[in-house]
């Protein structure tokens, strides 16, 4: 079984670095697809405005991440076969310090 969620994210504000942030009134497409069944891994793919794409495999027995691919910019996110997380940047510029600072903020 495949479940798909599509949204224009109207009404949601994202305070993130670079072109990934959005105002509450802006439309930016988000799609998420999860495949459920009797498999060892549960794949989840997310595409946010063709700027940020992710593909993760979760273990069926404990729902922990087995492998993943986080992609900024152009291309297709595909989870690695081997366990671990792959970070790929296909953009002229991405300031990682801003992302690390944003990830460390709480509130």
């Amino acid at each position: 079984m495949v479940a798909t969620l599509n949204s224009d994210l109207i009404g949601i504000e994202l305070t993130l670095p670079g072109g990934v942030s959005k105002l509450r009134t802006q439309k930016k497409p988000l799609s998420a697809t999860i495949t459920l069944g009797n498999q060892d891994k549960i794949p989840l793919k997310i595409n946010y405005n063709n700027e940020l794409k992710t593909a993760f495999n979760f273990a069926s027995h404990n729902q922990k991440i087995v492998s993943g691919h986080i992609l900024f910019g152009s291309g297709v996110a595909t989870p690695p076969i081997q366990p671990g997380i792959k970070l790929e940047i296909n953009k002229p510029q991405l300031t990682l310090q801003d992302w690390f600072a944003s990830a460390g903020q709480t509130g």
Side-chain angles (χ1 to χ4, degrees):
M1 176 177 92
V2 176
T4 302
L5 167 80
N6 292 301
S7 176
D8 61 13
L9 297 177
I10 289 284
I12 296 175
E13 183 170 324
L14 295 175
T15 308
L16 295 170
V20 182
S21 65
K22 78 172 258 337
L23 300 173
R24 192 173 310 254
T25 56
Q26 283 180 301
K27 280 186 181 182
K28 288 196 177 183
L30 172 83
S31 66
T33 304
I34 189 166
T35 305
L36 303 170
N38 293 329
Q39 62 235 22
D40 293 334
K41 296 177 186 170
I42 301 169
L44 170 66
K45 288 190 169 197
I46 298 172
N47 183 338
Y48 170 65
N49 200 39
N50 284 324
E51 285 292 318
L52 173 61
K53 301 162 198 144
T54 64
F56 290 98
N57 280 326
F58 292 86
S60 296
H61 67 284
N62 64 6
Q63 292 78 46
K64 290 187 179 181
I65 295 174
V66 175
S67 63
H69 184 187
I70 302 168
L71 171 63
F72 289 92
S74 62
V76 176
T78 307
I81 295 171
Q82 298 297 320
I85 303 292
K86 175 183 177 183
L87 174 62
E88 183 177 356
I89 301 168
N90 289 335
K91 300 178 62 122
Q93 183 177 7
L94 181 74
T95 308
L96 288 178
Q97 294 89 339
D98 293 345
W99 280 94
F100 292 139
S102 178
Q105 292 178 357
T106 59

